[in-house]
Amino acid sequence: MSPRVGSMVAGDWSRVRLHVVTGKGGTGKSTVAASLALALAAQGRQVLLCEVEGRQGIARMFDVDPLPYEERRIASGLRLNGRAPGVVHALHIDPESALLEYLAMYYKLGRAGRALDRFGVIEFATTIAPGVRDVLLTGKVYEAVQRNSRNKSAIQYDAVVLDAPPTGRIAQFLNVNDELAGLAKVGPIKSQADSVMTLFQSPRTAVHLVTVLEEMPVQETADGITELRRAGLPVGSVIVNQVRPHDISAHDLAAARSRQLDAERIEADLKEAGVDIGDELVAGLLAEAHDHAERRALEDSQRAVVAGLGLPTYELPRLPGGVDLGGLYELAGDLAEQVKR
């Protein structure tokens, strides 16, 4: 696969410091972001996992207390190939806390800033000016990636993973200069937006899009790639989530889809296994097999569409029991094996 403008070379994440994860709702975007953080930590890296949507999803996934507005250690990476694992820290970024920090940093408004918060001014400001809100959220992510002299005691991270807004809003969220165009022409907040955009449009950033093999999410992924490239933002990879297992032969799938499975053979196999059968059981199994074959055919057609997007693609399996902490580690292991170290 040849690299394209605005895309990363397949499997090469060596230069990337900021991994932005987006996807249509329901595709498991947050699960993939958490798994990616664990996969990067498996390579011995110190990783920060950030969220900006206010749902405390990280705390639920890792079964820890709700996160404050400060970095907290939440997990260690997998030990793969004898390599000592790194550590995953997490940060829940909310716009009100980010604005208070911004006011204290640039305008020395310590107590005064907290007084504004009590009067609801902070919430009012971040609500009426969503462009400013996004600059504050992304600015905190920028600071974590680009630690400077103000952060002498802060952890220096090898990688930052951002669980970002959904695909429909991702280009707008990351393209903070456009959002600020009518609000701030000069001053610290404009300078911060310029610095953020320099990072976001550089090879140190990669935006990964999560999808499932269904028509609407795949189409939204394609549209998101177009918007990101139009904004000059570097597209990383497509991560296909919740992939069904390939445990049925192509021949049997074709027979199931055309309703030509041998019912007598299935009945004989069930009897041999000691299963008490009846007509309804066999008919139900044949119907399930047909539905599964139809679903697999749909997935294969959408997989071809994803392949045509011309990006590095990784696949993560559907976990039958749902995703808990053990499931996150399982997905992280799968992802780490697929990505070039």
Side-chain angles (χ1 to χ4, degrees):
M1 181 186 305
S2 61
R4 300 178 59 176
V5 176
S7 302
M8 63 193 295
V9 177
D12 183 10
W13 292 0
S14 58
R15 292 189 299 169
V16 178
R17 292 284 305 282
L18 173 59
H19 296 267
V20 180
V21 181
T22 184
K24 180 176 171 58
T27 60
K29 166 181 68 72
S30 297
T31 297
V32 171
S35 301
L36 174 57
L38 289 169
L40 292 168
Q43 300 174 5
R45 303 186 189 188
Q46 301 302 307
V47 182
L48 179 65
L49 174 60
C50 303
E51 64 181 357
V52 293
E53 294 188 277
R55 298 198 304 261
Q56 287 288 349
I58 294 175
R60 288 194 297 273
M61 286 187 292
F62 285 88
D63 195 22
V64 297
D65 292 335
L67 297 171
Y69 184 66
E70 62 184 47
E71 294 158 27
R72 290 280 178 90
R73 174 173 175 158
I74 58 169
S76 296
L78 291 168
R79 181 178 293 274
L80 295 178
N81 303 320
R83 177 181 293 179
V87 172
V88 177
H89 286 74
L91 175 63
H92 174 80
I93 308 173
D94 66 89
E96 290 79 15
S97 297
L99 180 53
L100 285 172
E101 183 179 42
Y102 175 86
L103 292 173
M105 183 179 298
Y106 288 102
Y107 295 99
K108 311 302 180 186
L109 292 181
R111 292 181 180 177
R114 289 190 291 275
L116 290 174
D117 190 29
R118 285 197 298 273
F119 285 111
V121 175
I122 303 297
E123 183 179 0
F124 176 73
T126 56
T127 300
I128 64 170
V132 172
R133 179 183 185 276
D134 288 349
V135 171
L136 294 167
L137 294 172
T138 55
K140 186 62 179 175
V141 175
Y142 169 84
E143 182 275 323
V145 176
Q146 198 84 356
R147 290 269 149 100
N148 55 38
S149 58
R150 287 196 185 100
N151 311 101
K152 293 179 181 178
S153 61
I155 299 171
Q156 301 291 318
Y157 292 105
D158 301 305
V160 174
V161 177
L162 172 60
D163 180 8
T167 317
R169 205 174 85 78
I170 189 61
Q172 177 187 7
F173 175 76
L174 295 177
N175 197 10
V176 289
N177 270 349
D178 277 4
E179 286 295 286
L180 270 187
L183 295 171
K185 304 292 186 183
V186 295
I189 199 161
K190 178 62 169 66
S191 176
Q192 179 170 332
D194 289 342
S195 297
V196 167
M197 284 308 300
T198 299
L199 169 64
F200 284 178
Q201 292 180 325
S202 77
R204 292 177 296 161
T205 295
V207 184
H208 307 292
L209 296 99
V210 180
T211 189
V212 294
L213 293 174
E214 298 175 6
E215 187 173 351
M216 286 186 63
V218 169
Q219 182 59 54
E220 188 164 312
T221 297
D223 294 342
I225 291 168
T226 300
E227 288 187 34
L228 288 165
R229 285 180 172 148
R230 189 180 297 128
L233 295 160
V235 183
S237 64
V238 176
I239 301 176
V240 181
N241 195 26
Q242 302 176 24
V243 175
R244 284 171 169 74
H246 294 180
D247 49 9
I248 300 177
S249 71
H251 176 271
D252 286 340
L253 279 173
R257 193 176 180 208
S258 60
R259 300 186 187 276
Q260 292 180 349
L261 283 176
D262 188 340
E264 291 183 359
R265 192 190 78 182
I266 293 173
E267 186 174 335
D269 288 344
L270 289 172
K271 286 180 179 178
E272 186 176 340
V275 176
D276 187 14
I277 63 169
D279 292 341
E280 289 186 4
L281 175 60
V282 175
L285 289 173
L286 290 172
E288 287 285 341
H290 175 264
D291 290 346
H292 177 78
E294 287 285 340
R295 177 69 191 180
R296 281 287 305 278
L298 173 62
E299 289 186 346
D300 289 344
S301 68
Q302 293 305 307
R303 184 178 282 108
V305 176
V306 170
L309 297 174
L311 289 171
T313 301
Y314 309 101
E315 292 196 358
L316 295 175
R318 176 187 293 271
L319 300 181
V323 181
D324 54 12
L325 185 55
L328 286 179
Y329 275 102
E330 182 179 338
L331 295 175
D334 285 341
L335 194 53
E337 289 298 321
Q338 295 178 64
V339 175
K340 178 180 177 183
R341 291 172 175 76

